[in-house]
Amino acid sequence: MLLAWALATGGLAFAIGAGWEQWVVVAHGALGLGLLVLAPWKTIIARRGLRRQRSGSTTSVVLAGLVLLALASGVAHATGLLRTVGPLTAMQVHVAAALGSIPFALWHLVERPVRPRRTDLSRRTILRAGAVGAGSLAALGGLAGVVRLTGLPGRRTRFTGSYRADPAAFPVTQWLSDGVPEIDASNWRLSILRRGEPARGYPLDELDARAEAVTATLDCTGGWFADATWHGVRLDRLLEGMEGRGIRAVSATGYSRRFPVDDADRLWVATRVEGRPLSPGHGAPARILAPGRRGFWWVKWLVSIEVDDTPWWWQPPFPVQ
Ligand SMILES: Nc1nc2c(c(=O)[nH]1)N[C@H]1C(S)=C(S)[C@@H](COP(=O)(O)O)O[C@H]1N2
Ligand SMILES: [Mo]
């Protein structure tokens, strides 16, 4: 159950980006450390199980290994003790290990079922669960105290757990598998579609001329954030007079995100960052700025904006490319 809740809060923390995310992140930390708090008892059970030499022990050991890797990389990221492992960030290792553990955990549930018993709801069990909960929070508080006292980098993270990056040189990063497309800005136009029909088009110089300065935080789920000054046109000004329920921002690569139509006054089409035109890696010629939303909403290499009657939630919760 701890693992299931840790996975759920981890996913939720990626989805949000606003203030109350802090509490989701705290819960996520406590749930993760709760697994460590329970480890001494679980180890006894696991040893006994291994001695019986049933089939599938290897699968259980892989599950344990992945959970340990997720815990270790989570602690490494949160404290700042180890933030990169070769080409990967500790956060990427954390997410990969956590996602990788899911099939093994499901297998474990099916092959090693623990039937619910009446005593699961006894006073004693509830007191014990409370003790584990208190122990987990104490472990989290203790870890935060150690980070502060020893001056580890982890004390300077944002409420999402991300580390500050230089706004003039923050990383170029893709959600999963996108490559940087080459777009000829002189032929490029931002197409606006209404219910599938082309309605308007904005060339780059018009967007540039209408752009205003916006200071916003790009917070990548990879574990870094940048407070930069962008130049962009507010989306409601490009969509004036258009009706619908959802706005879909589409990249030249096919990557896309759908937003609620009411957010149009909180989204920008940006053409510059820190005074300079966007570089190809950062989304040239134009990208979405979505302050308050995590990085995967900030669609790069924008080619079209579609307004239609599809609600914003009609999409996978996270991009799939
Ligand atoms: N088309 C497209 N846009 C994208 C992505 C992507 O993979 N494809 N990745 C997103 C993610 S996860 C982040 S954090 C930001 C990164 O922006 P940057 O490369 O300018 O730092 O772009 C977002 N926009
Ligand atoms: Mo990201």
Side-chain angles (χ1 to χ4, degrees):
M1 280 177 75
L2 281 175
L3 185 61
W5 280 104
L7 286 162
T9 49
L12 195 58
F14 267 20
I16 314 172
W20 61 277
E21 168 154 356
Q22 186 160 13
W23 299 107
V24 180
V25 172
V26 168
H28 182 66
L31 286 158
L33 293 177
L35 290 165
L36 279 185
V37 170
L38 279 183
W41 291 278
K42 182 69 185 172
T43 312
I44 299 172
I45 300 171
R47 271 224 204 93
R48 208 188 299 143
L50 281 176
R51 242 181 274 128
R52 272 194 267 153
Q53 301 199 321
R54 289 175 293 181
S55 71
S57 312
T58 324
T59 321
S60 301
V61 171
V62 172
L63 171 60
L66 286 171
V67 171
L68 276 176
L69 183 59
L71 277 169
S73 50
V75 170
H77 172 86
T79 55
L81 271 173
L82 184 71
R83 284 167 51 195
T84 53
V85 195
L88 298 175
T89 63
M91 184 60 110
Q92 284 169 325
V93 174
H94 179 65
V95 173
L99 291 178
S101 76
I102 294 175
F104 294 95
L106 290 175
W107 174 90
H108 196 269
L109 271 182
V110 173
E111 287 299 312
R112 307 271 192 270
V114 178
R115 289 185 213 300
R117 284 167 304 182
R118 194 136 323 107
T119 49
D120 286 351
L121 286 175
S122 69
R123 212 174 105 85
R124 203 167 142 183
T125 325
I126 291 169
L127 283 176
R128 271 196 204 150
V132 171
S136 311
L137 282 172
L140 187 66
L143 193 62
V146 169
V147 166
R148 194 156 301 166
L149 283 177
T150 53
L152 281 170
R155 74 191 185 288
R156 288 190 308 260
T157 56
R158 200 172 177 245
F159 64 84
T160 54
S162 293
Y163 289 88
R164 183 180 293 280
D166 178 357
F170 57 90
V172 164
T173 167
Q174 266 58 268
W175 175 257
L176 268 185
S177 54
D178 257 2
V180 176
E182 259 187 49
I183 298 177
D184 175 8
S186 57
N187 282 326
W188 176 92
R189 289 178 136 240
L190 175 63
S191 317
I192 311 284
L193 284 84
R194 178 196 232 160
R195 300 200 172 103
E197 298 293 320
R200 297 171 197 168
Y202 295 102
L204 185 60
D205 48 8
E206 182 177 345
L207 292 175
D208 239 349
R210 290 173 63 178
E212 56 178 327
V214 188
T215 304
T217 308
L218 170 56
D219 189 337
C220 174
T221 54
W224 57 268
F225 73 93
D227 282 331
T229 301
W230 304 79
H231 272 83
V233 191
R234 228 170 65 187
L235 201 50
D236 59 339
R237 303 203 168 119
L238 300 177
L239 302 180
E240 232 163 301
M242 290 202 176
E243 275 160 32
R245 286 181 76 182
I247 303 169
R248 186 164 163 252
V250 186
S251 168
T253 63
Y255 183 102
S256 75
R257 288 315 278 166
R258 200 182 280 281
F259 302 86
V261 87
D262 289 339
D263 275 21
D265 60 354
R266 266 159 279 167
L267 296 167
W268 280 262
V269 172
T271 52
R272 289 170 180 269
V273 60
E274 296 289 295
R276 282 187 296 275
L278 297 178
S279 66
H282 287 307
R287 76 180 301 169
I288 291 286
L289 289 199
R293 290 175 183 266
R294 298 300 289 269
F296 65 86
W297 294 93
W298 297 46
V299 179
K300 301 193 278 192
W301 313 298
L302 207 55
V303 284
S304 64
I305 304 279
E306 303 174 10
V307 184
D308 60 24
D309 297 319
T310 313
W312 72 268
W313 44 262
W314 189 247
Q315 65 184 335
F318 298 107
V320 288
Q321 80 178 72

